[in-house]
Amino acid sequence: MLSSLSHTSSSTTAFFLSSSAKFLRPRFSSCPFQFPIHQKRHRSLFSHSTAASMDSAATVDSVADDLKKQNLKGVEIKLKLNLEELNWDNSFVRELPGDPRSDSIPREVLHACYTKVLPSVPVNNPQLVAWSESVAELLELDPREFERPDFPLIFSGASPLVGAIPYAQNYGGHQFGMWAGQLGDGRAITLGEILNSKSQRWELQLKGAGKTPYSRFADGLAVLRSSIREFLCSEAMHGLGIPTTRALCLVTTGKDVMRDMFYDGNPKDEPGAIVCRVAQSFLRFGSYQLHASRGKKDFELVRALADYAIRYHFPHLENMTRSESISANTDVDLTSNKYAAWAVEVAERTASMIARWQDVGFTHGVMNTDNMSVLGLTIDYGPFGFLDSFDPSYTPNTTDLPGRRYCFANQPDVGLWNIAQFTSALSTAELLSDKEADYAMERYGNKFMDDYQDIMTRKLGLTKYNKKLIGELLKNMVSDKVDYTNFFRSLSNIKADPAIPEDQLLIPLKDVLLDIGMERREAWTNWIKSYIQELSTTGVLDEERKVSMNFVNPKYILRNYLCQNAIDAAEQGDFEEVRQLLKVMQCPFDEQPGMEKYARLPPAWAHRPGVCMLSCSS
């Protein structure tokens, strides 16, 4: 059994891989249930004259339907649908067992994967704050739909969306390392699944849409500040190329919600809001853990959920051959057990996702197993944060203090711990053998190290991984609390010229190496010398390297203080900063002339609680 990912790591990644981590796969059968503490027609694609020249039996509508399934002369036809024309499938509620009740009374929901429940959030003149045109394209939704007077009513849940069958998912999970029993969608209501013309499946979910049976003692609502953060970060992460859930739109409800932001006994009213989240699936590790924890009578639910995920999201695993299997050179035959092959792919997707987090300095803040997607998507944006100064112990979550379980450095090891819990659930439900579960964790470690080393090599513009050089760089960055994003962006300005005078070596980095004394200047000068020497052996031209480095090192990240600026304005009724920030974060690797202020270091006020660190409060 793989006891620690650090066994496969080098000293270079010591910041990220803790040698003290232990990964035991508990059996859930002894865990009792407990509440945790803590269609308008298609717009014509042809002119009337074109349509008239066709066979009289062919109508414009039939042509449009044909074009949903094929391209015309190799040219992709982009459909533009209104909300009533969206193609709902609703396979989750059709194929999986549900709760016989549909009320929102908090309760234990047994032998069911979901509860059908309608949004119940109170609204008063809801307003559309922002929307993502790229997500609308995924759904093939006409952008003009955002101009509909009833759009805010529909996406606040106040008006039904034709074809939707709303439900809340039932799942459990570990929170801060402790089994919490049933959790579920306490304030998120999935409207259903949409199939676009490419047969891509997209679930739409309203977060903050009211109480469900899984709300426990909460109100099922969300506030504007957290909704802005979720909306913006979903799209910012996509802009960075990191697998993530998406966000279609953000609306205010026009009603206040009481929240105690710091859990200090000082609640206050805040504007309510709802985000429409979009993902191929919102299945989580905890979706499988809960049913595995409830004994043999629910093992079939674990299998049904696994079959569902494989059928719709991992279909290539159904008939995989030995030559296609990544275990071809091991004694674990993934072709004989599709669940083992699935567990391995979930592990590898998770590892790759977390390696990408480390790449851009993203800290999730709440890596509970109920916040881990089986599709390897970044999911559930609560108190997240991007690194400003490079501090491996940084956590954006006040609830995570003082243990810092979910700090930046710990994310790779926590990812493995979570995979251990996921594979344990599958083993408990008799879908995996212990050997197969161990192999999935081994593949997680290998995949993370492969991806991380490749990422760091490209961030430095090198052609091969240099453990010593990268290790020394990270130590220097920690010592001088260097801004993580701006440093790597500035590093592309270094010239691979060993003849540069020593007193000029640090000039390209003058804006990121601030207030360093003579001793630290010497340390950085020595590192730059080694770096230039390494660059000079690659044979890559400086300008070519600069382009490639700027392609992987973003100029813009969603710093917490930028979110706060947008939140402050939005709470006064001005949504323009939210929309501007969205535009900037959709192209984070571009220079974007005139937008330089969004790349600046945080001001002094940004280090106060509520900005740099937040609680799990909505």
Short mmCIF file of all heavy atoms in Angstrom, two decimals, residues 74 133 144 158 172 185 344 416 441 450 505 537 543 560:
data_model
loop_
_atom_site.label_atom_id
_atom_site.label_comp_id
_atom_site.label_asym_id
_atom_site.label_seq_id
_atom_site.Cartn_x
_atom_site.Cartn_y
_atom_site.Cartn_z
N GLY A 74 -18.09 20.87 -44.01
CA GLY A 74 -16.98 21.03 -43.07
C GLY A 74 -17.05 22.27 -42.24
O GLY A 74 -16.16 22.51 -41.42
N GLU A 133 -20.52 34.35 -21.78
CA GLU A 133 -20.90 34.02 -23.15
C GLU A 133 -20.31 32.69 -23.59
O GLU A 133 -20.91 31.96 -24.39
CB GLU A 133 -20.47 35.14 -24.08
CG GLU A 133 -21.23 36.44 -23.86
CD GLU A 133 -20.90 37.51 -24.88
OE1 GLU A 133 -20.08 37.23 -25.78
OE2 GLU A 133 -21.45 38.62 -24.78
N ARG A 144 -28.83 36.54 -26.83
CA ARG A 144 -29.93 37.48 -26.63
C ARG A 144 -30.88 37.04 -25.52
O ARG A 144 -31.68 37.84 -25.02
CB ARG A 144 -30.69 37.68 -27.94
CG ARG A 144 -29.91 38.48 -28.98
CD ARG A 144 -30.64 38.55 -30.30
NE ARG A 144 -30.68 37.25 -30.98
CZ ARG A 144 -31.18 37.06 -32.19
NH1 ARG A 144 -31.71 38.08 -32.85
NH2 ARG A 144 -31.18 35.86 -32.74
N ALA A 158 -37.22 31.52 -9.25
CA ALA A 158 -38.58 31.99 -9.00
C ALA A 158 -39.56 31.56 -10.08
O ALA A 158 -40.76 31.42 -9.82
CB ALA A 158 -38.59 33.52 -8.87
N GLY A 172 -22.21 12.16 1.12
CA GLY A 172 -21.56 12.37 2.42
C GLY A 172 -20.16 12.87 2.22
O GLY A 172 -19.84 13.45 1.18
N ASP A 185 -26.56 18.24 -1.08
CA ASP A 185 -26.73 19.60 -1.59
C ASP A 185 -27.65 20.38 -0.65
O ASP A 185 -28.87 20.30 -0.74
CB ASP A 185 -27.35 19.58 -3.00
CG ASP A 185 -26.38 19.10 -4.07
OD1 ASP A 185 -25.17 19.30 -3.88
OD2 ASP A 185 -26.84 18.54 -5.08
N VAL A 344 -8.62 4.32 -11.30
CA VAL A 344 -7.31 4.81 -11.72
C VAL A 344 -7.45 6.12 -12.48
O VAL A 344 -6.68 7.07 -12.27
CB VAL A 344 -6.59 3.75 -12.57
CG1 VAL A 344 -5.38 4.36 -13.29
CG2 VAL A 344 -6.14 2.58 -11.69
N LEU A 416 -4.18 12.78 -2.34
CA LEU A 416 -3.98 11.34 -2.20
C LEU A 416 -4.83 10.76 -1.08
O LEU A 416 -5.43 9.70 -1.22
CB LEU A 416 -2.49 11.03 -1.97
CG LEU A 416 -2.14 9.56 -1.77
CD1 LEU A 416 -2.58 8.73 -2.98
CD2 LEU A 416 -0.66 9.38 -1.52
N MET A 441 -3.90 4.53 -6.11
CA MET A 441 -3.14 5.53 -5.35
C MET A 441 -1.71 5.68 -5.87
O MET A 441 -1.16 6.78 -5.90
CB MET A 441 -3.16 5.17 -3.86
CG MET A 441 -4.53 5.36 -3.23
SD MET A 441 -4.53 5.15 -1.44
CE MET A 441 -4.35 3.37 -1.32
N ASP A 450 4.82 13.38 -12.51
CA ASP A 450 5.06 13.60 -13.94
C ASP A 450 4.56 14.97 -14.37
O ASP A 450 5.25 15.74 -15.05
CB ASP A 450 4.37 12.51 -14.78
CG ASP A 450 5.05 11.16 -14.66
OD1 ASP A 450 6.18 11.10 -14.13
OD2 ASP A 450 4.44 10.16 -15.08
N LEU A 505 22.47 41.45 -13.56
CA LEU A 505 21.72 40.20 -13.66
C LEU A 505 20.30 40.30 -13.10
O LEU A 505 19.37 39.67 -13.61
CB LEU A 505 22.48 39.08 -12.94
CG LEU A 505 23.76 38.58 -13.62
CD1 LEU A 505 24.47 37.58 -12.73
CD2 LEU A 505 23.43 37.95 -14.97
N THR A 537 22.22 26.21 -22.64
CA THR A 537 22.41 24.87 -23.21
C THR A 537 21.20 24.38 -24.00
O THR A 537 21.27 23.34 -24.66
CB THR A 537 22.70 23.85 -22.09
OG1 THR A 537 21.53 23.69 -21.27
CG2 THR A 537 23.87 24.30 -21.22
N GLU A 543 13.58 35.21 -27.48
CA GLU A 543 12.21 35.62 -27.79
C GLU A 543 11.26 34.43 -27.89
O GLU A 543 10.09 34.52 -27.48
CB GLU A 543 12.19 36.44 -29.09
CG GLU A 543 12.74 37.85 -28.95
CD GLU A 543 12.04 38.61 -27.83
OE1 GLU A 543 10.79 38.62 -27.79
OE2 GLU A 543 12.74 39.17 -26.96
N ASN A 560 -7.54 37.86 -4.26
CA ASN A 560 -8.68 38.10 -3.38
C ASN A 560 -9.05 39.58 -3.29
O ASN A 560 -10.23 39.92 -3.19
CB ASN A 560 -8.37 37.55 -1.98
CG ASN A 560 -8.73 36.07 -1.86
OD1 ASN A 560 -9.60 35.58 -2.56
ND2 ASN A 560 -8.05 35.37 -0.97
#
